Amino acid sequence: MDDSTINWGIMGTGWIAQQMLRDLPFAKDARAVAVGSRTKESAVRFAKEFSIDKAYGSYEELVQDPLVDVIYVATPHPFHYENVMLSLQAGKSVLCEKPLMMNRAQTQKVIELAKEKHLFFMEAMWTRFLPAIQKVREWIAQGRIGDVRMVKADFGFQAPDDPTGRLLNKSLGGGALLDAGIYPVSFASMIYGQQPMKIMSCAHIGATGVDEQFSLVFSYPSGKSASLNGAVRVNLRSEAYIYGTKGYIHIPAPFLSTKEASLYIDNIVAETFADASPCMGYAYEVLEVGRCLREGVVESLLMPMQESLAIMETLDQIRDQWNLRYPFE
């Protein structure tokens, strides 16, 4: 592609799609040209709110729009597989919200199709593209905290006590691991650049059959470890720490959308980074997608397909320990 504007098609009109569209103006040379929903009414309302020219009452119509360069899949995660497959089969590149799929098997199939069709495909793990997280990775690469030995990351919130709501509904892929846990698990994967060689875990399975909270301990070669917690019925501090042999890094809450990070040496702040941009942070992943499409590459090195696959396999292994299966598996 040349340096022209990247045209986005928005699949889904829920909360996350609204957040992304509010941030889209901060991404240079990106615009939403079409939105698709399960109902025409929803699509029209969304299009009017965000000044989008085309509103489709089906996803099939959206992916057939010749002006759309890339589809942003913002539907609930139990529908990601069919939505991504539909988009790829129509020849569209895809940015898909997290968790990417429900399990490794689904992830493997969509990656195979993306590669077969030579189309860009990426998990929308927006945290990785935030300037503060990029600075954290830079500090680590520079050896500022020495050899990383321990990672601690939590993300938890108190969802409404609604058994039919998405978060507590097993039929809708509810539970803490996929909804909240994807952040700390992906964070550990980013820091260590590999999946754990051993996983120890525990979870509280609630009345609706989903994991309402969990604790994980990952072990890696040379005694390195990660301690990760997630919840949808408990408010956690939702911050992250990276401990090394020379110092540590603190990422304040909520770490998944942070604009700040602090580097500590001898328990004293040695450096602090702050992102002064008024955008929420979704624009950074949009910019990365645009860069990749213009350069003709099918994946981002910051969130490669193979790592998304490996992370889904880790999540499968954790659910295996809990004997947790979804009805559609």
Side-chain angles (χ1 to χ4, degrees):
M1 299 182 66
D2 57 23
D3 291 330
S4 60
T5 298
I6 301 298
N7 292 329
W8 287 78
I10 312 302
M11 185 179 287
T13 57
W15 181 84
I16 193 68
Q18 295 168 28
Q19 295 294 95
M20 192 271 215
L21 263 292
R22 291 188 179 101
D23 236 25
L24 195 64
F26 294 102
K28 183 182 178 182
D29 297 331
R31 66 172 180 173
V33 298
V35 58
S37 181
R38 288 173 295 180
T39 67
K40 182 73 171 181
E41 294 75 17
S42 177
V44 168
R45 279 197 305 270
F46 191 92
K48 183 178 181 180
E49 180 178 357
F50 295 102
S51 302
I52 299 173
D53 290 339
K54 299 179 182 179
Y56 295 114
S58 73
Y59 301 147
E60 289 78 10
E61 292 176 281
L62 173 67
V63 301
Q64 293 301 325
D65 189 319
L67 290 180
V68 171
D69 298 314
V70 56
I71 299 289
Y72 171 56
V73 175
T75 56
H77 53 273
F79 308 109
H80 284 180
Y81 177 72
E82 61 185 82
N83 296 157
V84 172
M85 292 294 278
L86 177 70
S87 302
L88 293 173
Q89 287 164 351
K92 302 299 186 185
S93 294
V94 175
L95 174 68
C96 181
E97 266 305 328
K98 80 224 76 69
L100 191 59
M101 297 289 148
M102 295 303 300
N103 51 44
R104 186 192 187 281
Q106 290 184 345
T107 308
Q108 179 73 52
K109 290 178 182 177
V110 296
I111 288 176
E112 287 174 355
L113 182 59
K115 290 183 175 180
E116 175 189 324
K117 290 185 168 289
H118 199 69
L119 291 168
F120 177 87
F121 177 55
M122 189 179 83
E123 180 179 3
M125 182 47 72
W126 65 308
T127 303
R128 296 200 177 197
F129 304 93
L130 301 176
I133 298 300
Q134 289 298 301
K135 175 57 70 172
V136 166
R137 300 185 76 170
E138 181 182 307
W139 285 337
I140 294 172
Q142 292 171 345
R144 298 287 299 278
I145 63 170
D147 184 31
V148 175
R149 306 294 303 175
M150 302 177 72
V151 170
K152 187 178 189 307
D154 303 331
F155 178 43
F157 52 90
Q158 194 160 27
D161 187 10
D162 178 9
T164 63
R166 182 181 63 81
L167 290 171
L168 299 180
N169 190 330
K170 197 172 184 180
S171 296
L172 294 177
L177 183 65
L178 293 191
D179 199 274
I182 182 63
Y183 283 104
V185 171
S186 184
F187 184 77
S189 178
M190 179 189 74
I191 297 301
Y192 284 126
Q194 61 181 308
Q195 299 309 298
M197 63 181 188
K198 185 178 180 181
I199 299 170
M200 293 169 282
S201 71
C202 65
H204 169 64
I205 307 299
T208 62
V210 304
D211 53 307
E212 295 187 354
Q213 67 190 58
F214 67 82
S215 295
L216 311 172
V217 176
F218 289 174
S219 62
Y220 303 84
S222 303
K224 299 180 180 184
S225 66
S227 174
L228 316 171
N229 297 281
V232 291
R233 298 289 291 141
V234 179
N235 286 319
L236 304 181
R237 289 186 61 86
S238 299
E239 56 189 356
Y241 289 88
I242 307 163
Y243 296 98
T245 54
K246 295 181 180 178
Y248 69 92
I249 296 168
H250 175 228
I251 305 169
F255 83 88
L256 58 153
S257 58
T258 188
K259 286 183 172 290
E260 299 179 8
S262 297
L263 171 69
Y264 287 77
I265 306 296
D266 295 327
N267 289 319
I268 298 172
V269 177
E271 187 175 341
T272 295
F273 174 88
D275 174 20
S277 171
C279 80
M280 290 180 286
Y282 298 95
Y284 299 115
E285 65 180 358
V286 171
L287 288 168
E288 175 69 359
V289 173
R291 182 193 67 79
C292 290
L293 290 177
R294 291 187 181 93
E295 294 180 4
V297 297
V298 296
E299 63 183 323
S300 167
L301 294 178
L302 293 178
M303 191 67 253
M305 290 186 248
Q306 200 60 36
E307 185 179 359
S308 289
L309 179 65
I311 290 169
M312 286 306 309
E313 183 168 359
T314 294
L315 296 175
D316 281 359
Q317 291 173 7
I318 294 166
R319 287 198 293 121
D320 281 345
Q321 294 186 4
W322 306 340
N323 294 315
L324 176 58
R325 286 285 177 274
Y326 299 110
F328 41 81
E329 288 188 296

